Amino acid sequence: MTLWNDLGRQYEATRARAIVDLIADPARLDDFTVQTSDLYFDFSKTNIDRDTLGLLLSLAREKGVETRRDEMFAGAKINTTEDRAVLHTALRNLDGASIEVDGADVMPAVHETLRAMRAFADKVRSGSITDVINIGIGGSDLGPRMAVAALAPYHDGPRVHFVSNVDGAHISDTLRGLDAKTTLVIVASKTFTTIETLTNARTARAWMVDHGGDPSTQFAALSTAQEKTDAFGIAPEQVFGFEDWVGGRYSVWGPVGLSLMIAIGPKAFDAFLRGGQAMDTHFCAAELHENLPVLLALTGIWHNQVCAHATRAVLPYDERLGLLPSYLQQLEMESNGKGVRLDGSAAEQPTGPVVWGAAGTNGQHAFYQLIHQGTRVIPCEFLLAAQGHEPDLAHHHDLLIANCLAQSQALMTGRTLDEARAIAAKAGFTGDELERQAAHRVFEGNRPSTTLLYPQLDPFTLGQIIALYEHRVFVEGVILGINSFDQWGVELGKELATALQPVVEGTQSSESEDASTAALVDFIHRQRD
Ligand code: F6P
């Protein structure tokens, strides 16, 4: 616990200090900004100083981040509760060496699947398909859905839709207006057992049959379970398989990215993979103090575990990254929302933060009030492109940039009581009323934020950003000593839902349920009657 204790003492000793005073040091930007080929990460607007950073880097070393990283990339079975390797990095290892799992090189199959995906995507893009529906949930939905939205300017294929929720409203609203004869349905499910996905897939198949489509040619599947896709009736040549060493929330780089590949084309998809690969190279090669995923992780550890700021706001000033917070919620909270360490003992620290956020500037007009003047400190992570894709609307982008930079400035500098008094006086208030009005206009300031800049949201950049966050989650997990690659916490709810289904349907009595649940079911039944 020594380093954790040292960090705690460091926090107590420095918590009242003003970040603006740190920024006044002309050398600060040298140590608290990092640039890779084209990403620029600024964590100077935090209360992390050189001593703190030194302690955090020591913590990363002591917890074996470098060794664990090398084990992951080499195919070691670091997902110990499921006895699996963690090799989503192999899916973007376009030029890399062989990687062995259980004595066999996984790369030939990765390349073969990628070739098959490209051929299929080309066929779909050049044929009569007008619309593609990706049916999946969690990692089989959020990654491609987010990436498809992010890369809208690169779409030159059929329209792509996503259905995830078992709520019949989702598939119903999506199918309305589509032509069953020109729609391709992709069923994305790593396990091919997920009840929401299978229910939606069956509904889509019935719709296709009823409306003159042909599921034998218009259905494809993305899964690790070919016997189950066979049983569902999906033609084997339209099944794109992957291995259990790809976690669902890390799977957009392989077959689960097929809808993205169809939308933007195999060439742009390759650029996306190359972006991920570039971040892998950086993560493996850069010294820890210049290593982007490591620095993002250490900033996270400082704010969440040391300063006890329980949530983290992700604020992309990029409309097309509006789904990034949702995507990161699964990536970070399913990966690091754990209560026990690898050896089964209780976690020593609070684990993953609550991640939330929305695209700027919209969020400014919704929840930023709380971020600026609420009683909780919420570390903010801004993301921003130097340029947009709308050259005719450059003035919009300038305004977007100004707003983003202004927010991180405002969080840091705040507004003093004297400044607030001057504003209230100017507005005509005097005496006690001036004091009262001024109090409402004070901004405490000293609220930490980081900013990630990138040239433009293109496929290569998006690949870098996603891989950056993946590795950040990994580093945080290693430091916390937890397994970031299982998700036992979602199982209980699934089991209970299965058990409750006959009770809801009315074929089984609710008497063995708890009183609250029984009364809820009873109310629903009465409403239906
Ligand atoms: O919600 C739990 C989970 O297992 C996620 O980890 C996963 O991404 C999602 O369900 C979907 O699983 P599958 O791809 O197997 O349908």
Side-chain angles (χ1 to χ4, degrees):
M1 285 297 281
T2 334
L3 278 167
W4 286 115
N5 292 341
D6 292 348
L7 281 161
R9 277 192 288 276
Q10 181 70 5
Y11 173 55
E12 288 308 325
T14 59
R15 59 186 296 180
R17 175 185 53 196
I19 300 172
V20 268
D21 293 342
L22 289 175
I23 293 273
D25 173 0
R28 182 158 175 86
L29 289 192
D30 294 341
D31 294 340
F32 296 91
T33 60
V34 181
Q35 188 168 358
T36 60
S37 56
D38 48 18
L39 299 187
Y40 178 83
F41 177 59
D42 178 354
F43 62 119
S44 66
K45 291 193 184 92
T46 66
N47 208 347
I48 299 174
D49 61 16
R50 285 192 187 84
D51 291 341
T52 308
L53 186 57
L55 287 172
L56 289 166
L57 288 165
S58 300
L59 184 68
R61 277 189 204 100
E62 186 187 271
K63 298 292 179 187
V65 164
E66 289 149 299
T67 312
R68 302 284 292 165
R69 172 197 67 197
D70 296 345
E71 286 171 358
M72 175 174 73
F73 276 88
K77 296 194 174 177
I78 62 167
N79 176 356
T80 49
T81 58
E82 296 179 310
D83 193 29
R84 290 176 183 169
V86 173
L87 275 180
H88 47 280
T89 51
L91 300 175
R92 53 200 190 222
N93 179 32
L94 295 184
D95 318 301
S98 61
I99 304 171
E100 291 198 356
V101 175
D102 293 328
D105 183 6
V106 302
M107 287 315 299
V110 168
H111 288 299
E112 185 45 43
T113 304
L114 198 50
R115 269 194 291 276
M117 284 170 63
R118 287 185 190 123
F120 183 73
D122 280 336
K123 193 175 90 182
V124 172
R125 285 161 54 83
S126 59
S128 55
I129 292 296
T130 56
D131 294 86
V132 174
I133 309 175
N134 184 90
I135 297 181
I137 197 164
S140 298
D141 167 70
L142 289 164
R145 185 198 289 260
M146 179 270 292
V148 162
L151 298 178
Y154 300 86
H155 289 198
D156 54 3
R159 288 179 292 267
V160 179
H161 314 265
F162 291 87
V163 172
S164 52
N165 201 330
V166 75
D167 184 339
H170 202 177
I171 187 120
S172 171
D173 288 353
T174 307
L175 295 180
R176 192 178 310 121
L178 295 190
D179 182 347
K181 297 193 191 76
T182 61
T183 296
L184 171 74
V185 174
I186 299 177
V187 187
S189 177
K190 177 177 167 180
T191 56
F192 228 76
T193 58
T194 305
I195 190 71
E196 295 96 322
T197 299
L198 294 182
T199 304
N200 279 322
R202 286 190 199 104
T203 300
R205 185 170 57 188
W207 165 82
M208 193 175 275
V209 170
D210 286 351
H211 293 81
D214 178 8
S216 71
T217 57
Q218 290 170 242
F219 261 66
L222 322 170
S223 183
T224 58
Q226 202 180 335
E227 67 296 341
K228 295 197 174 72
T229 61
D230 285 349
F232 192 90
I234 297 179
E237 64 277 13
Q238 302 206 153
V239 175
F240 301 89
F242 54 105
E243 300 297 325
D244 66 7
W245 38 257
V246 180
R249 53 194 175 273
Y250 299 86
S251 62
V252 66
W253 311 98
V256 170
L258 184 62
S259 52
L260 173 65
M261 188 193 267
I262 292 173
I264 64 175
K267 209 164 151 229
F269 190 82
D270 262 24
F272 170 69
L273 295 184
R274 288 197 182 279
Q277 186 185 31
M279 185 51 64
D280 293 343
T281 306
H282 167 81
F283 181 44
C284 290
E287 295 290 333
L288 293 192
H289 69 280
E290 295 175 331
N291 196 306
L292 226 52
V294 171
L295 292 173
L296 248 79
L298 294 180
T299 309
I301 292 281
W302 170 253
H303 287 143
N304 187 13
Q305 278 72 29
V306 183
C307 307
H309 304 320
T311 86
R312 169 192 297 164
V314 178
L315 307 168
Y317 274 65
D318 198 322
E319 178 61 21
R320 296 190 179 105
L321 280 181
L323 293 175
L324 185 69
S326 309
Y327 169 78
L328 291 180
Q329 280 177 336
Q330 187 195 18
L331 185 65
E332 303 213 18
M333 293 164 76
E334 195 165 84
S335 297
N336 287 347
K338 307 287 163 64
V340 293
R341 293 188 293 177
L342 285 163
D343 65 4
S345 60
E348 287 175 315
Q349 308 291 334
T351 57
V354 176
V355 177
W356 61 284
T361 60
N362 293 10
Q364 289 176 205
H365 302 275
F367 53 78
Y368 277 43
Q369 165 64 40
L370 184 148
I371 290 183
H372 284 290
Q373 286 189 313
T375 50
R376 292 180 173 83
V377 174
I378 298 170
C380 294
E381 298 191 350
F382 296 99
L383 292 99
L384 178 66
Q387 57 176 332
H389 285 86
E390 292 71 31
D392 298 349
L393 301 175
H395 60 294
H396 282 247
H397 202 75
D398 288 347
L399 204 50
L400 185 73
I401 291 175
N403 269 277
C404 180
L405 301 183
Q407 290 300 325
S408 64
Q409 254 182 354
L411 286 167
M412 176 175 69
T413 53
R415 179 188 284 153
T416 64
L417 183 57
D418 280 344
E419 288 166 340
R421 281 193 184 113
I423 290 167
K426 212 170 164 193
F429 295 108
T430 55
D432 287 351
E433 186 56 11
L434 183 146
E435 291 301 317
R436 197 180 72 81
Q437 291 287 344
H440 290 272
R441 288 160 172 76
V442 171
F443 287 61
E444 229 173 63
N446 219 20
R447 302 206 161 184
S449 71
T450 61
T451 303
L452 182 72
L453 297 182
Y454 44 92
Q456 192 177 36
L457 192 61
D458 61 18
F460 183 77
T461 300
L462 183 70
Q464 289 183 85
I465 292 173
I466 298 177
L468 167 62
Y469 276 101
E470 286 177 348
H471 293 323
R472 179 253 194 106
V473 168
F474 169 79
V475 173
E476 290 194 3
V478 171
I479 290 174
L480 296 171
I482 58 180
N483 181 1
S484 300
F485 300 102
D486 61 12
Q487 55 283 319
W488 298 108
V490 296
E491 293 303 320
L492 180 59
K494 287 185 193 173
E495 284 165 28
L496 295 186
T498 306
L500 272 171
Q501 200 177 342
V503 178
V504 173
E505 287 167 352
T507 55
Q508 193 176 300
S509 148
S510 64
E511 67 190 20
S512 59
E513 306 303 329
D514 64 85
S516 161
T517 306
L520 293 168
V521 171
D522 190 43
F523 178 86
I524 292 163
H525 283 169
R526 276 185 282 116
Q527 291 303 307
R528 287 180 172 181
D529 290 344

